[in-house]
Each structure stands twice: as structure tokens, then as C-alpha cells.
Amino acid sequence: MSLTNKTFSGLKWTFLDTFFLKGSLFIFTLFLARLVGPAEFGLIGILTVFISVGNALVDGGLSISLIRSLNTDSKDYSTVFITNLIFSLIIYLILFFTANYISNFFKQPLLCNLIRVYCLSFILSAFSSIQIAILIKNLKFKKLTILNIPGTIIGLIFSLYLVNEGLGVWSLVVMYLTSQLINTVLLWKHSEWKPTLEFSKQKFDLHFFYGYKLMIATVIDTLFKNIYNLIIGKFYSIKTLGYFDRAQSLNEYPITVIVGIINKVSYPILSEMQNDKDKIADSYKKLMKTTFFITTPLIFSVIMIAKPLFLLVLGKEWIEASNFFQILCLASIFYPIHAFNIIVLKIYGRTDLYLNIEILKKIIIVLSITALFSFGIYGLIWSNFITSVIALIINTKYSSKLINYSFKNQIYDMFPVILSSTIMAFLMYFVLMQIEKYSLFLQILIPIAVGYLFYFSYNVMIKNRSIIYILNLIKKQ
């Protein structure tokens, strides 16, 4: 199968998995938000921090090392499996015994039991991480998607029952654990690989010394990505944190999903080319420009329709969150570029540079938050945008040396998309002002239709290479 066919097939099945399966979970959380309100989602915002950090510690970057390695055998897989399982048990026990202190720190008694139950997911993740890594390494995204379907559906049904029983935020916890348990069982049943008691110190050293820097960098990145949750949860009301958490989730979901899909597919494929720098550079540029072409108008459009969107989806109680959402969207414009520049470092095994970059970016976050903290909640949220712009410059500086694709050239390639997306946004704003008395649904639908009609027509007219690449890819399929 050619590179193009491999990429398209992987994207197709990963898109199905992410949008139709994980997307259904996302939609359910929106439904739950209308029922339980901002305060309960503030608890989820705090809980997310510890779950995210725990997941980063459990895997330790070892699965990424397995996917990247060209020659792996049963001993590699069993060694990493045993390591992940031990790490997961240690992390779970630490959080179990510190849960009471965490709930006291945030003055939220319910957090203690939430953490102790939700963190069981670490152990489930350890049991399925190798099977998932093998499927991704072998580009079996179709099989991975099919195996995810039953757990997602059963988890949703079970959770809907619990919502009707009035369990609120617990229904979300149970949904996640149920889905993960069923997915893990199915992955074990349908995996050709089964763990053994083989543990090789040589294999452990190989994957650990590649992965531990990624683990540290990921933990640091996760902590600082959620630092706003921690600060808002401590210094502001739990309701304000609920606003922020939903705004951040609505902002992150479409972008991280699209970038995550492409990263998930492109990483194993590009890893196969790691000895051919020219080929990697060419493929990287196509993927980066195509992703940016898709995500940028998406961000600009949701900024324009934020208020009617929040009123329609979440209700009047959540309207304050729409202001947070618009600022966070601006901060996420360059997220795809961040992600692709980091992939380059991982492919070439430069986890040392990756770690150094993450530490440098986190210092900038601390300085930015410190400088703007006195300006209140909006100062904190605007600091997110400032650090995103600075981080873009740092990421591209390091990766450009490996693929000869400078920051200047990347900005030059992105400029036509930014220009056309900006014009599209102004056009949408003008249309929205003319129809503000219409129904909320039409206030969303009409500006989007007009905006995207302009965006695609304009890019076809100027013969933007990204849209030509996408159309050719679709025609070939």
C-alpha cells in the first residue's frame, strides 16, 4: 500500500473512532452539563488534572518508544507491559492515600471518593496500552475502531441510566470506567500478542531511556496545561472553574481531535522514513499545511458564533463561559503547528530537546501567569494566548534544524490561511449582526454557511495547495 493510501485509510478509521465514538462521549458531557450545572463540572475540572498526570506517569512514554522502534519482539512488549502495570499500581496507591488531602486543599469533600474511583482507570490503561500500541504500529486503525464501539455504546447507556437516577457527576465517572473496562477486555480477546513473564533489563533500558524524558516532558506539559484549573479551583469559586472547564473542553475538542487523528496516523508512518530526511520534510509540510487549512477556519468560525452556540447547547446558565471560550480559541490557533513540530523531535529521537523545550515553555507560562494574575480571571485566560504565541516560536526554532523548515517559512505558508480565515470571520460577524433576532439555530447555521462558502471559494480561486491536495486525495479514493 502506498504512503497516500496508508495515510488516507488510517485517517478514515481514526476519524470514525474519534468523531463518532469519542464524539458521542463529548456530546453526552454537554447533555450532562445542562442537567448538573457549572459547579459539578468544576469538580470534573479538578479531577481532570490528576487523571491526566496519572496517565502520563503510567505510560512513561514507553508505548511511543515501541511504536517508533523498527525491530520489536515479544520480549519488548512484555517488558513494557510489566513496567506499565507496576507504575499504574504505584500511582494509583499514591493518589488513593492522598485523595483526602487533595479534597481538603480545594475544600471539596466529594473529590476524595471521585479520585479514588476514577483513578482505577490507570490500571485499566496499563492492561491495554501494549495492545493499542501494536495496532497503531501496524496501522490497524480499522480493528482498533471496531473494538472501541461496544465499550462506548454500553458505557453511554449505563451512564444515561445513572443520570436519570440523579447521580450527576458520578455518571460521567462510571461511563468512562465502564467503556475502558469493556475496551480492555475486547483488546485482550482479539489481540494476537499475550503478555508473558519475560522481563529484559536490556529492553527496559532501551525503551525507558527513550521514554522517560517524554514522560517527564508530558507530565510537565500536562500539569501546566491544567495549571489554570488548579489556580481557578483554589482562588476562585467552583462555579467559575466549571465555566472555564466547559469553555476549555469545547475549545480543545475539535482541534485536539483533528490534530490527534493526524498525529496518531502520521507518527508511525513518518517513523518508518526516519532515515530519509528529505522524504520526512516533504510529508511533514503537506500534513502541517493541510491540518492548518482545516483547523484555522474552524477556530475563527466558532469564535464568531460562541454566544448563540453556548445558549443553544448549554443554556443561559453557561453564557459566562462563552467569553472564556472565545479567548481560549485564539490561543489554540497555532496548536496544530506546536503538535507537528514536536512530532519531528520524537521521530528523530531528540527527547532531550523535547524535554528542554517543555521546561522553557513552562517557565514562560509561570512568568505570564504571575504578570497577569492581578488582572483577575480574564488576565489568567489571556496569559494562555500570550504563552501560545511564544511557544510557537520556541517549538519551530528547534525542529526547523532537523527538517530545514524555518519559522519564517512556516509562517509564510500559514499566512494565506490566516488571511482568508480572518476575512471569513468578519463576514460571519456582519451576517450575525443582521440576523440577531432569528432563532439560535439559524444564528449558528447561516453565518457558518456563508463563511465557509467564502473560505473554500476563495482558496479554490487562489489555488491553495492544501485544498488541491485534499481534493486529489479524495479523488484517488
Side-chain angles (χ1 to χ4, degrees):
M1 186 183 289
S2 69
L3 173 63
T4 298
N5 288 335
K6 282 183 180 180
T7 304
F8 191 85
S9 177
L11 288 172
K12 179 174 64 178
W13 284 102
T14 309
F15 176 89
L16 180 65
D17 178 35
T18 306
F19 271 97
F20 289 91
L21 298 182
K22 293 182 178 63
S24 62
L25 300 180
F26 176 73
I27 291 169
F28 174 75
T29 63
L30 297 180
F31 168 74
L32 186 62
R34 289 188 72 102
L35 296 178
V36 302
E40 293 237 27
F41 268 87
L43 292 173
I44 290 293
I46 296 172
L47 187 62
T48 298
V49 179
F50 299 97
I51 295 297
S52 301
V53 172
N55 284 331
L57 287 168
V58 167
D59 182 66
L62 304 185
S63 295
I64 294 176
S65 180
L66 287 175
I67 295 170
R68 174 186 175 273
S69 299
L70 298 178
N71 298 304
T72 51
D73 54 30
S74 178
K75 195 173 288 187
D76 289 272
Y77 298 131
S78 293
T79 299
V80 173
F81 173 79
I82 292 169
T83 304
N84 283 352
L85 190 57
I86 292 171
F87 280 3
S88 70
L89 289 169
I90 293 172
I91 299 303
Y92 176 74
L93 289 173
I94 290 172
L95 281 170
F96 182 91
F97 288 110
T98 59
N100 193 48
Y101 298 103
I102 295 169
S103 64
N104 289 337
F105 178 79
F106 289 103
K107 299 179 182 179
Q108 299 294 332
L110 185 59
L111 263 181
C112 181
N113 289 332
L114 281 172
I115 289 172
R116 287 174 174 173
V117 175
Y118 206 177
C119 288
L120 288 169
S121 63
F122 299 155
I123 299 171
L124 292 173
S125 293
F127 272 102
S128 61
S129 61
I130 305 304
Q131 287 86 347
I132 293 171
I134 292 172
L135 290 173
I136 293 174
K137 183 180 179 70
N138 295 323
L139 306 178
K140 294 185 177 180
F141 297 104
K142 178 180 178 180
K143 184 175 182 179
L144 187 59
T145 299
I146 292 171
L147 292 177
N148 281 338
I149 292 173
T152 302
I153 295 174
I154 294 171
L156 276 172
I157 294 171
F158 194 26
S159 188
L160 284 170
Y161 170 76
L162 295 178
V163 170
N164 290 329
E165 293 296 310
L167 290 180
V169 72
W170 278 105
S171 63
L172 196 61
V173 173
V174 172
M175 175 187 68
Y176 183 70
L177 290 175
T178 302
S179 297
Q180 198 169 26
L181 175 61
I182 294 170
N183 290 348
T184 299
V185 171
L186 290 175
L187 283 164
W188 270 67
K189 183 177 179 180
H190 294 279
S191 175
E192 296 176 1
W193 173 83
K194 294 294 185 292
T196 64
L197 295 178
E198 294 179 286
F199 186 90
S200 166
K201 186 179 182 305
Q202 181 184 1
K203 298 291 187 181
F204 172 81
D205 289 344
L206 172 68
H207 297 295
F208 181 78
F209 285 107
Y210 171 85
Y212 87 93
K213 293 172 187 174
L214 285 179
M215 177 193 71
I216 295 172
T218 303
V219 169
I220 293 172
D221 184 53
T222 302
L223 273 171
F224 277 85
K225 193 177 286 182
N226 292 285
I227 194 170
Y228 297 94
N229 291 43
L230 296 175
I231 293 173
I232 296 170
K234 179 62 178 174
F235 295 103
Y236 296 87
S237 70
I238 198 70
K239 192 172 184 179
T240 301
L241 178 56
Y243 289 144
F244 179 82
D245 179 73
R246 284 301 86 197
Q248 190 175 47
S249 296
L250 271 171
N251 164 54
E252 287 183 347
Y253 180 75
I255 304 304
T256 54
V257 160
I258 293 170
V259 175
I261 288 171
I262 296 173
N263 282 359
K264 191 175 181 180
V265 175
S266 64
Y267 182 70
I269 292 174
L270 292 177
S271 293
E272 292 179 358
M273 312 174 194
Q274 60 189 267
N275 296 322
D276 190 339
K277 288 190 175 183
D278 291 336
K279 198 172 182 180
I280 281 189
D282 182 60
S283 298
Y284 168 84
K285 290 176 185 178
K286 284 182 180 178
L287 286 168
M288 189 274 286
K289 288 191 286 187
T290 303
T291 305
F292 195 70
F293 176 83
I294 295 169
T295 58
T296 306
L298 176 62
I299 294 171
F300 275 86
S301 62
V302 294
I303 289 174
M304 291 298 103
I305 61 166
K307 282 185 168 50
L309 179 66
F310 271 73
L311 285 170
L312 180 67
V313 175
L314 297 176
K316 290 182 180 179
E317 190 179 7
W318 290 89
I319 193 62
E320 179 69 19
S322 66
N323 298 323
F324 297 175
F325 174 73
Q326 289 173 313
I327 302 170
L328 291 170
C329 282
L330 285 174
S332 66
I333 287 173
F334 295 113
Y335 177 77
I337 315 305
H338 293 303
F340 279 115
N341 278 280
I342 292 303
I343 278 185
V344 172
L345 300 179
K346 291 180 181 179
I347 289 170
Y348 286 108
R350 296 306 305 268
T351 52
D352 56 332
L353 288 180
Y354 180 42
L355 179 56
N356 291 341
I357 288 172
E358 289 305 313
I359 292 172
L360 180 58
K361 288 192 293 188
K362 297 339 169 198
I363 292 172
I364 293 168
I365 289 175
V366 171
L367 293 174
S368 178
I369 289 175
T370 303
L372 296 174
F373 182 77
S374 60
F375 291 92
I377 185 67
Y378 283 99
L380 281 175
I381 298 173
W382 273 111
S383 71
N384 199 301
F385 171 75
I386 293 169
T387 54
S388 177
V389 174
I390 297 173
L392 175 68
I393 299 171
I394 295 171
N395 285 340
T396 51
K397 178 183 176 182
Y398 284 90
S399 64
S400 62
K401 296 176 182 177
L402 297 174
I403 58 171
N404 193 29
Y405 191 27
S406 68
F407 173 72
K408 180 180 177 181
N409 288 335
Q410 291 193 39
I411 293 296
Y412 178 81
D413 285 339
M414 288 186 282
F415 181 75
V417 172
I418 295 174
L419 177 63
S420 55
S421 296
T422 303
I423 298 171
M424 181 194 80
F426 278 110
L427 182 60
M428 288 180 66
Y429 178 77
F430 175 77
V431 171
L432 189 58
M433 290 301 98
Q434 309 308 310
I435 60 170
E436 57 185 353
K437 293 183 180 179
Y438 286 30
S439 68
L440 292 173
F441 180 74
L442 290 178
Q443 286 182 50
I444 294 170
L445 181 63
I446 295 174
I448 285 179
V450 173
Y452 273 92
L453 179 62
F454 162 79
Y455 180 76
F456 285 107
S457 299
Y458 175 81
N459 280 284
V460 168
M461 183 179 67
I462 66 171
K463 297 181 180 179
N464 185 300
R465 291 184 179 180
S466 293
I467 197 168
I468 293 172
Y469 176 71
I470 292 170
L471 291 173
N472 287 338
L473 191 62
I474 293 171
K475 285 178 182 178
K476 288 179 181 179
Q477 296 300 316

